[in-house]
Coordinates of all heavy atoms in Angstrom, one line a residue:
M1 N 56.2 -39.5 77.5 CA 56.8 -38.2 76.9 C 55.8 -37.8 75.7 O 55.3 -38.6 74.9 CB 58.1 -38.6 76.2 CG 59.3 -38.5 77.2 SD 59.6 -36.9 77.7 CE 60.3 -36.2 76.3
C2 N 55.6 -36.6 75.7 CA 54.7 -36.0 74.6 C 55.4 -35.9 73.3 O 54.9 -35.9 72.3 CB 54.2 -34.7 75.0 SG 53.2 -34.7 76.5
A3 N 56.8 -35.9 73.3 CA 57.6 -35.6 72.1 C 57.5 -36.9 71.2 O 57.4 -36.6 70.0 CB 59.0 -35.4 72.4
G4 N 57.5 -38.0 71.7 CA 57.4 -39.2 70.8 C 56.1 -39.4 70.1 O 56.0 -39.7 68.9
S5 N 55.0 -39.0 70.8 CA 53.6 -39.1 70.1 C 53.0 -37.8 70.5 O 52.3 -37.7 71.5 CB 52.9 -40.3 70.7 OG 52.8 -40.2 72.1
P6 N 53.1 -36.9 69.6 CA 52.5 -35.5 69.8 C 50.9 -35.5 69.7 O 50.4 -34.7 70.3 CB 53.0 -34.7 68.6 CG 53.4 -35.6 67.6 CD 53.8 -36.9 68.3
Y7 N 50.4 -36.5 69.0 CA 49.1 -36.5 68.9 C 48.4 -37.7 69.8 O 48.9 -38.7 69.6 CB 48.5 -36.6 67.5 CG 49.0 -35.5 66.7 CD1 50.1 -35.5 65.8 CD2 48.2 -34.2 66.7 CE1 50.4 -34.5 65.1 CE2 48.6 -33.2 66.0 CZ 49.7 -33.3 65.2 OH 50.1 -32.1 64.4
G8 N 47.4 -37.5 70.5 CA 46.8 -38.5 71.2 C 45.4 -38.7 70.7 O 44.7 -38.0 70.2
D9 N 44.9 -40.0 70.8 CA 43.6 -40.3 70.5 C 42.6 -39.6 71.4 O 42.8 -39.4 72.5 CB 43.3 -41.8 70.7 CG 44.0 -42.5 69.5 OD1 44.4 -41.9 68.5 OD2 44.3 -43.7 69.5
C10 N 41.6 -39.2 70.8 CA 40.4 -38.5 71.6 C 39.9 -39.6 72.5 O 39.5 -40.7 72.0 CB 39.5 -38.0 70.6 SG 38.0 -37.2 71.4
R11 N 39.7 -39.3 73.7 CA 39.2 -40.3 74.7 C 37.7 -40.4 74.5 O 37.2 -41.5 74.8 CB 39.5 -39.7 76.1 CG 40.9 -40.0 76.5 CD 41.2 -39.6 77.9 NE 42.5 -39.6 78.3 CZ 43.0 -39.2 79.5 NH1 42.1 -38.8 80.4 NH2 44.2 -39.2 79.8
R12 N 37.1 -39.5 74.0 CA 35.5 -39.5 73.9 C 35.2 -40.5 72.8 O 34.2 -41.3 73.0 CB 35.0 -38.2 73.6 CG 33.6 -38.1 73.8 CD 33.1 -36.7 73.6 NE 31.6 -36.6 73.7 CZ 30.9 -36.4 74.8 NH1 31.6 -36.0 75.8 NH2 29.6 -36.3 74.7
C13 N 35.9 -40.4 71.7 CA 35.5 -41.3 70.6 C 36.6 -42.3 70.3 O 36.5 -43.0 69.3 CB 35.2 -40.4 69.3 SG 36.7 -39.4 68.8
H14 N 37.5 -42.4 71.1 CA 38.7 -43.4 70.9 C 39.3 -43.3 69.5 O 39.7 -44.2 68.9 CB 38.0 -44.8 71.1 CG 37.4 -44.9 72.4 ND1 38.1 -45.2 73.6 CD2 36.0 -45.0 72.7 CE1 37.3 -45.3 74.5 NE2 36.0 -45.2 74.1
G15 N 39.6 -42.0 69.2 CA 40.3 -41.8 67.9 C 39.5 -42.0 66.6 O 40.0 -41.9 65.6
M16 N 38.2 -42.3 66.8 CA 37.4 -42.6 65.6 C 36.9 -41.3 65.0 O 36.6 -41.1 63.7 CB 36.1 -43.4 65.9 CG 36.5 -44.8 66.5 SD 37.3 -45.8 65.2 CE 35.7 -46.1 64.2
G17 N 36.7 -40.2 65.7 CA 36.3 -38.9 65.2 C 34.8 -38.8 65.1 O 34.2 -37.7 64.8
H18 N 34.1 -39.8 65.5 CA 32.7 -39.7 65.5 C 32.1 -40.9 66.4 O 32.8 -41.8 66.7 CB 32.1 -39.9 64.1 CG 32.5 -41.2 63.4 ND1 32.0 -42.5 63.6 CD2 33.5 -41.5 62.6 CE1 32.6 -43.4 63.0 NE2 33.5 -42.8 62.3
A19 N 30.9 -40.7 66.8 CA 30.3 -41.7 67.7 C 29.8 -42.9 66.8 O 29.8 -42.9 65.5 CB 29.1 -41.1 68.4
I20 N 29.7 -44.1 67.5 CA 29.2 -45.2 66.7 C 27.8 -45.6 67.3 O 27.6 -45.8 68.4 CB 30.2 -46.4 67.0 CG1 31.6 -46.0 66.4 CG2 29.7 -47.6 66.4 CD1 32.5 -47.2 66.6
K21 N 27.0 -45.7 66.2 CA 25.6 -46.1 66.5 C 25.4 -47.5 66.1 O 26.1 -48.0 65.1 CB 24.6 -45.1 65.8 CG 24.3 -43.9 66.5 CD 23.3 -43.1 65.7 CE 22.8 -41.9 66.5 NZ 21.7 -41.3 65.7
H22 N 24.5 -48.2 66.6 CA 24.0 -49.5 66.1 C 22.5 -49.4 65.6 O 21.7 -48.9 66.4 CB 24.2 -50.5 67.2 CG 25.7 -50.7 67.5 ND1 26.3 -49.9 68.5 CD2 26.5 -51.6 67.1 CE1 27.5 -50.5 68.6 NE2 27.7 -51.4 67.7
D23 N 22.3 -49.9 64.6 CA 20.9 -50.0 64.0 C 20.2 -51.2 64.6 O 20.7 -51.9 65.5 CB 20.9 -50.0 62.5 CG 21.6 -51.3 61.9 OD1 22.1 -52.1 62.7 OD2 21.7 -51.4 60.7
R24 N 19.0 -51.4 64.2 CA 18.1 -52.4 64.8 C 18.7 -53.8 64.7 O 18.5 -54.7 65.4 CB 16.8 -52.3 64.2 CG 16.0 -51.1 64.6 CD 14.7 -51.1 64.1 NE 14.0 -49.7 64.2 CZ 12.9 -49.4 63.8 NH1 12.2 -50.3 62.9 NH2 12.4 -48.2 64.0
K25 N 19.5 -53.9 63.6 CA 20.1 -55.3 63.3 C 21.4 -55.5 64.0 O 22.0 -56.5 64.0 CB 20.3 -55.5 61.8 CG 19.0 -55.5 61.0 CD 19.3 -55.7 59.6 CE 18.0 -55.6 58.8 NZ 18.1 -55.7 57.4
G26 N 21.8 -54.4 64.7 CA 23.1 -54.6 65.5 C 24.3 -54.2 64.7 O 25.5 -54.4 65.2
R27 N 24.1 -53.7 63.5 CA 25.3 -53.3 62.7 C 25.8 -52.0 63.2 O 25.0 -51.0 63.5 CB 25.0 -53.3 61.3 CG 24.8 -54.7 60.8 CD 24.6 -54.8 59.2 NE 23.5 -54.0 58.9 CZ 23.0 -53.9 57.6 NH1 23.6 -54.5 56.6 NH2 21.9 -53.1 57.4
A28 N 27.1 -51.7 63.2 CA 27.7 -50.5 63.5 C 27.4 -49.4 62.4 O 27.6 -49.7 61.3 CB 29.1 -50.7 63.7
K29 N 27.1 -48.2 62.8 CA 26.9 -47.2 61.9 C 27.7 -46.0 62.3 O 28.0 -45.8 63.5 CB 25.4 -46.8 61.9 CG 24.7 -47.6 60.9 CD 23.2 -47.2 60.8 CE 23.1 -45.8 60.2 NZ 21.7 -45.4 60.1
R30 N 27.9 -45.1 61.4 CA 28.6 -43.8 61.8 C 27.6 -42.9 62.4 O 26.6 -42.5 61.9 CB 29.2 -43.2 60.6 CG 30.2 -42.2 60.8 CD 30.6 -41.5 59.5 NE 31.8 -40.7 59.7 CZ 31.7 -39.4 60.2 NH1 30.6 -38.9 60.6 NH2 32.8 -38.6 60.2
G31 N 28.0 -42.4 63.6 CA 27.1 -41.5 64.3 C 27.5 -40.1 64.0 O 28.1 -39.8 63.0
K32 N 27.3 -39.3 64.9 CA 27.6 -37.9 64.8 C 29.1 -37.6 65.0 O 29.7 -38.3 65.7 CB 26.8 -37.0 65.8 CG 25.3 -37.0 65.6 CD 24.7 -36.1 66.7 CE 23.2 -36.1 66.4 NZ 22.5 -35.3 67.5
D33 N 29.5 -36.5 64.4 CA 30.9 -36.2 64.7 C 31.2 -35.8 66.1 O 30.3 -35.2 66.8 CB 31.3 -34.9 63.8 CG 31.5 -35.4 62.4 OD1 31.5 -36.5 62.1 OD2 31.6 -34.4 61.5
C34 N 32.3 -36.2 66.5 CA 32.7 -36.0 68.0 C 32.8 -34.5 68.3 O 33.5 -33.8 67.5 CB 34.0 -36.8 68.3 SG 34.5 -36.4 70.0
R35 N 32.3 -34.0 69.4 CA 32.3 -32.6 69.6 C 33.7 -32.3 70.2 O 34.2 -31.2 69.9 CB 31.3 -32.3 70.8 CG 30.0 -31.7 70.1 CD 29.3 -31.0 71.3 NE 27.9 -31.4 71.2 CZ 27.1 -31.0 72.2 NH1 27.5 -30.4 73.2 NH2 25.8 -31.4 72.2
R36 N 34.2 -33.2 70.9 CA 35.5 -32.9 71.6 C 36.7 -32.7 70.6 O 37.5 -31.7 70.8 CB 35.8 -33.9 72.6 CG 36.9 -33.7 73.4 CD 37.0 -34.6 74.6 NE 38.1 -34.4 75.4 CZ 38.3 -35.0 76.6 NH1 37.4 -35.8 77.1 NH2 39.4 -34.8 77.3
C37 N 36.8 -33.5 69.6 CA 37.9 -33.4 68.6 C 37.4 -32.9 67.3 O 38.2 -32.8 66.3 CB 38.6 -34.7 68.5 SG 37.4 -36.0 67.9
H38 N 36.1 -32.5 67.2 CA 35.6 -31.9 66.0 C 35.7 -32.9 64.8 O 36.0 -32.5 63.6 CB 36.3 -30.6 65.7 CG 36.1 -29.5 66.7 ND1 35.0 -28.8 66.9 CD2 37.0 -29.1 67.7 CE1 35.1 -28.0 67.9 NE2 36.3 -28.3 68.4
G39 N 35.6 -34.1 65.0 CA 35.5 -35.1 64.1 C 37.0 -35.7 63.6 O 37.0 -36.4 62.7
H40 N 37.9 -35.1 64.1 CA 39.3 -35.4 63.7 C 39.7 -36.8 64.4 O 40.5 -37.6 63.9 CB 40.3 -34.4 64.1 CG 40.0 -33.1 63.3 ND1 40.2 -33.1 61.9 CD2 39.7 -31.9 63.7 CE1 39.9 -31.9 61.6 NE2 39.6 -31.0 62.6
G41 N 39.3 -37.0 65.6 CA 39.7 -38.2 66.3 C 41.0 -38.0 67.1 O 41.5 -38.9 67.8
K42 N 41.7 -36.9 66.7 CA 43.0 -36.7 67.3 C 43.1 -35.4 68.0 O 42.3 -34.5 67.7 CB 44.2 -36.7 66.3 CG 44.2 -37.9 65.4 CD 44.8 -39.1 66.3 CE 44.9 -40.4 65.4 NZ 45.3 -41.5 66.1
R43 N 43.8 -35.3 69.1 CA 44.0 -34.0 69.8 C 45.4 -33.7 70.1 O 46.1 -34.7 70.4 CB 43.2 -34.0 71.0 CG 43.6 -35.1 72.0 CD 42.5 -35.1 73.1 NE 43.0 -36.2 74.0 CZ 44.0 -36.2 74.9 NH1 44.6 -35.0 75.0 NH2 44.2 -37.1 75.6
V44 N 45.8 -32.5 69.9 CA 47.3 -32.1 70.1 C 47.5 -32.1 71.6 O 46.8 -31.4 72.3 CB 47.5 -30.9 69.3 CG1 49.0 -30.5 69.5 CG2 47.2 -31.0 67.9
R45 N 48.5 -32.6 71.9 CA 49.0 -32.5 73.4 C 49.7 -31.3 73.6 O 50.3 -30.7 72.7 CB 49.8 -33.7 73.8 CG 49.0 -35.0 74.0 CD 49.9 -36.1 74.3 NE 49.3 -37.4 74.3 CZ 49.8 -38.5 74.3 NH1 51.1 -38.6 74.2 NH2 49.1 -39.6 74.4
V46 N 49.7 -30.8 74.8 CA 50.4 -29.6 75.1 C 51.9 -29.6 75.0 O 52.5 -28.7 74.5 CB 50.0 -29.0 76.6 CG1 50.7 -27.6 76.8 CG2 48.5 -29.1 76.7
G47 N 52.4 -30.7 75.2 CA 53.9 -31.0 75.1 C 54.4 -30.7 73.8 O 55.6 -30.4 73.6
R48 N 53.6 -30.9 72.8 CA 54.1 -30.8 71.3 C 54.6 -29.3 71.1 O 55.5 -29.0 70.4 CB 53.0 -31.1 70.4 CG 53.4 -31.0 68.9 CD 54.6 -32.0 68.6 NE 55.0 -31.8 67.2 CZ 56.0 -32.4 66.6 NH1 56.7 -33.3 67.4 NH2 56.4 -32.2 65.4
R49 N 53.8 -28.4 71.6 CA 54.2 -27.0 71.3 C 55.5 -26.6 72.1 O 56.3 -25.9 71.5 CB 53.1 -26.0 71.9 CG 51.8 -26.3 71.2 CD 50.7 -25.4 71.7 NE 51.0 -24.0 71.4 CZ 50.2 -23.0 71.6 NH1 49.1 -23.2 72.4 NH2 50.5 -21.8 71.3
L50 N 55.7 -27.1 73.2 CA 56.9 -26.8 73.9 C 58.1 -27.5 73.2 O 59.2 -26.9 73.1 CB 56.8 -27.3 75.4 CG 55.8 -26.6 76.2 CD1 55.7 -27.3 77.6 CD2 56.3 -25.1 76.5
Y51 N 57.7 -28.6 72.7 CA 58.8 -29.4 72.0 C 59.3 -28.7 70.7 O 60.4 -28.5 70.3 CB 58.4 -30.7 71.6 CG 59.3 -31.6 70.8 CD1 60.5 -32.1 71.4 CD2 59.1 -31.9 69.5 CE1 61.3 -32.9 70.8 CE2 59.9 -32.6 68.8 CZ 61.1 -33.1 69.3 OH 61.9 -33.9 68.6
N52 N 58.2 -28.2 70.0 CA 58.7 -27.4 68.8 C 59.4 -26.2 69.1 O 60.4 -25.8 68.4 CB 57.3 -27.0 68.1 CG 56.7 -28.1 67.3 OD1 57.4 -29.1 67.0 ND2 55.5 -28.1 67.0
L53 N 59.0 -25.5 70.2 CA 59.8 -24.3 70.6 C 61.2 -24.6 71.0 O 62.1 -24.0 70.5 CB 59.1 -23.6 71.9 CG 59.5 -22.2 72.1 CD1 59.0 -21.3 71.1 CD2 59.0 -21.9 73.6
W54 N 61.4 -25.7 71.7 CA 62.8 -26.1 72.0 C 63.6 -26.5 70.8 O 64.7 -26.1 70.7 CB 62.6 -27.3 73.1 CG 63.9 -27.8 73.4 CD1 64.8 -27.3 74.3 CD2 64.6 -29.0 72.8 NE1 66.0 -28.1 74.3 CE2 65.9 -29.2 73.4 CE3 64.3 -29.8 71.8 CZ2 66.7 -30.1 73.0 CZ3 65.1 -30.8 71.4 CH2 66.4 -30.9 72.0
L55 N 63.0 -27.1 69.9 CA 63.7 -27.6 68.7 C 64.1 -26.4 67.8 O 65.2 -26.4 67.4 CB 62.6 -28.5 67.8 CG 63.3 -29.4 66.9 CD1 64.1 -30.5 67.7 CD2 62.3 -30.1 66.0
R56 N 63.3 -25.4 67.7 CA 63.6 -24.2 67.0 C 64.8 -23.5 67.6 O 65.7 -23.1 66.9 CB 62.4 -23.2 66.9 CG 62.5 -22.2 65.8 CD 61.3 -21.4 65.6 NE 61.0 -20.7 66.8 CZ 59.9 -20.0 67.0 NH1 58.9 -20.1 66.3 NH2 59.8 -19.3 68.1
I57 N 64.7 -23.3 69.0 CA 65.8 -22.7 69.7 C 67.2 -23.4 69.5 O 68.2 -22.9 69.3 CB 65.5 -22.5 71.2 CG1 64.4 -21.5 71.3 CG2 66.6 -22.1 71.9 CD1 63.7 -21.4 72.6
Y58 N 67.0 -24.7 69.6 CA 68.1 -25.6 69.5 C 68.8 -25.4 68.0 O 70.0 -25.3 67.9 CB 67.7 -27.1 69.7 CG 68.9 -28.0 69.7 CD1 69.8 -28.1 70.7 CD2 69.1 -28.9 68.6 CE1 70.8 -28.9 70.7 CE2 70.1 -29.8 68.6 CZ 71.0 -29.8 69.6 OH 72.0 -30.8 69.6
R59 N 68.0 -25.5 67.0 CA 68.5 -25.2 65.7 C 69.1 -23.9 65.4 O 70.1 -23.9 64.8 CB 67.5 -25.5 64.7 CG 67.1 -27.1 64.6 CD 66.1 -27.2 63.5 NE 65.7 -28.7 63.4 CZ 64.6 -29.1 62.8 NH1 63.7 -28.2 62.4 NH2 64.4 -30.4 62.7
E60 N 68.5 -22.9 66.0 CA 69.0 -21.6 65.8 C 70.5 -21.4 66.5 O 71.3 -20.7 66.0 CB 68.0 -20.5 66.4 CG 66.9 -20.3 65.4 CD 65.9 -19.3 66.0 OE1 66.2 -18.9 67.2 OE2 64.9 -19.0 65.3
G61 N 70.4 -22.0 67.6 CA 71.7 -22.0 68.4 C 72.8 -22.6 67.7 O 74.0 -22.2 67.7
Q62 N 72.5 -23.7 66.9 CA 73.5 -24.5 66.2 C 74.0 -23.7 65.0 O 75.1 -23.7 64.6 CB 72.9 -25.8 65.7 CG 73.2 -26.9 66.7 CD 72.9 -28.2 66.0 OE1 72.0 -28.3 65.2 NE2 73.4 -29.3 66.5
T63 N 73.1 -23.0 64.3 CA 73.5 -22.3 63.0 C 74.2 -21.0 63.4 O 75.0 -20.5 62.6 CB 72.2 -22.0 62.1 OG1 71.2 -21.3 63.1 CG2 71.6 -23.3 61.6
D64 N 73.8 -20.4 64.5 CA 74.5 -19.1 64.9 C 75.9 -19.2 65.4 O 76.7 -18.3 65.1 CB 73.7 -18.4 66.0 CG 72.3 -17.9 65.4 OD1 72.3 -17.8 64.2 OD2 71.5 -17.6 66.2
T65 N 76.3 -20.3 65.8 CA 77.6 -20.5 66.4 C 78.6 -20.6 65.2 O 78.3 -21.3 64.2 CB 77.8 -21.8 67.3 OG1 77.2 -22.9 66.6 CG2 77.1 -21.7 68.5
P66 N 79.7 -19.9 65.1 CA 80.6 -19.9 64.1 C 81.4 -21.3 64.2 O 81.7 -21.8 65.2 CB 81.6 -18.7 64.4 CG 81.5 -18.5 65.9 CD 80.1 -18.9 66.3
K67 N 81.9 -21.6 62.9 CA 82.5 -22.9 62.9 C 84.1 -22.7 63.4 O 84.7 -21.7 63.2 CB 82.6 -23.4 61.4 CG 81.4 -23.7 60.8 CD 81.5 -24.1 59.4 CE 80.1 -24.5 58.8 NZ 80.1 -24.9 57.4
P68 N 84.5 -23.7 64.2 CA 85.8 -23.6 64.8 C 87.0 -23.5 63.8 O 88.0 -23.1 64.1 CB 85.9 -24.7 65.8 CG 84.9 -25.7 65.2 CD 83.8 -24.8 64.6
T69 N 86.6 -24.2 62.6 CA 87.7 -24.2 61.5 C 87.9 -22.9 60.8 O 88.8 -22.9 60.0 CB 87.4 -25.4 60.7 OG1 86.2 -25.2 60.1 CG2 87.4 -26.7 61.3
A70 N 86.9 -22.1 61.0 CA 87.0 -20.7 60.2 C 88.2 -19.8 60.5 O 88.9 -19.4 59.7 CB 85.7 -20.0 60.4
A71 N 88.4 -19.8 61.8 CA 89.6 -18.9 62.3 C 90.5 -19.7 63.2 O 90.1 -20.2 64.4 CB 89.1 -17.7 63.0
R72 N 91.7 -19.8 62.8 CA 92.7 -20.5 63.7 C 94.0 -19.6 63.8 O 94.8 -19.6 62.9 CB 93.1 -21.8 63.1 CG 92.1 -23.0 63.3 CD 92.7 -24.3 62.8 NE 91.8 -25.4 63.1 CZ 92.0 -26.6 62.9 NH1 93.1 -27.0 62.2 NH2 91.0 -27.7 63.1
P73 N 94.0 -18.9 64.9 CA 95.1 -18.0 65.0 C 96.4 -18.7 65.3 O 97.6 -18.2 64.9 CB 94.8 -17.2 66.2 CG 93.8 -18.0 67.0 CD 93.0 -18.8 65.9
F74 N 96.4 -20.0 65.8 CA 97.6 -20.6 66.1 C 97.9 -21.6 65.1 O 98.8 -22.5 65.3 CB 97.4 -21.3 67.5 CG 97.2 -20.2 68.6 CD1 95.9 -20.2 69.1 CD2 98.3 -19.4 69.0 CE1 95.7 -19.3 70.2 CE2 97.9 -18.4 70.0 CZ 96.6 -18.5 70.5
A75 N 97.3 -21.6 63.9 CA 97.7 -22.6 63.0 C 98.9 -22.3 62.2 O 99.3 -21.2 62.0 CB 96.6 -22.7 61.9
K76 N 99.8 -23.3 62.0 CA 101.0 -23.1 61.4 C 100.9 -23.0 59.9 O 100.1 -23.7 59.3 CB 102.0 -24.2 61.9 CG 102.3 -24.2 63.3 CD 103.2 -25.5 63.5 CE 103.5 -25.5 65.1 NZ 104.4 -26.7 65.4
K77 N 101.7 -22.2 59.3 CA 101.8 -22.1 57.9 C 103.0 -22.7 57.3 O 104.1 -22.4 57.7 CB 101.7 -20.6 57.5 CG 100.2 -20.0 57.8 CD 100.2 -18.7 57.3 CE 98.8 -18.0 57.5 NZ 98.8 -16.6 57.1
G78 N 102.8 -23.5 56.3 CA 104.0 -24.1 55.7 C 104.4 -25.3 56.6 O 105.6 -25.4 56.8
Ligands
ZN1 ZN1 36.6 -37.3 69.6

């Protein structure tokens, strides 16, 4: 499901946002920014937009419906 985790790790840089270089001594160094995710390391999945849209419609539907307790034509008085 995309709803649970709207952001996925970039496959190219594995969520690091940049490439990893190794110098001559074998130590890890920060390389260039990843082109695919523009250095963020995360990428938005398509399902998130649909989820947001559905959530907004769902909330609007809830607020627009009148409360059942507002009008009771058959309520007894006294
Ligand atoms: Zn990346």
Side-chain angles (χ1 to χ4, degrees):
M1 281 293 286
C2 296
S5 56
Y7 298 100
D9 285 343
C10 178
R11 285 186 186 177
R12 193 180 175 93
C13 61
H14 303 282
M16 297 291 290
H18 56 83
I20 294 179
K21 273 183 174 183
H22 291 89
D23 60 5
R24 291 178 187 176
K25 294 179 183 177
R27 288 187 300 185
K29 274 183 67 179
R30 191 187 194 282
K32 291 181 181 176
D33 283 347
C34 179
R35 259 199 229 170
R36 187 164 175 168
C37 61
H38 301 279
H40 295 295
K42 303 285 180 185
R43 58 186 179 81
V44 181
R45 286 176 184 169
V46 183
R48 179 63 182 178
R49 296 181 69 182
L50 291 173
Y51 177 71
N52 282 338
L53 193 69
W54 174 83
L55 202 70
R56 199 174 64 191
I57 290 170
Y58 182 72
R59 281 177 182 168
E60 281 179 359
Q62 266 191 337
T63 52
D64 286 344
T65 51
K67 291 178 182 177
T69 55
R72 279 188 181 178
F74 299 109
K76 291 179 182 178
K77 287 185 179 178

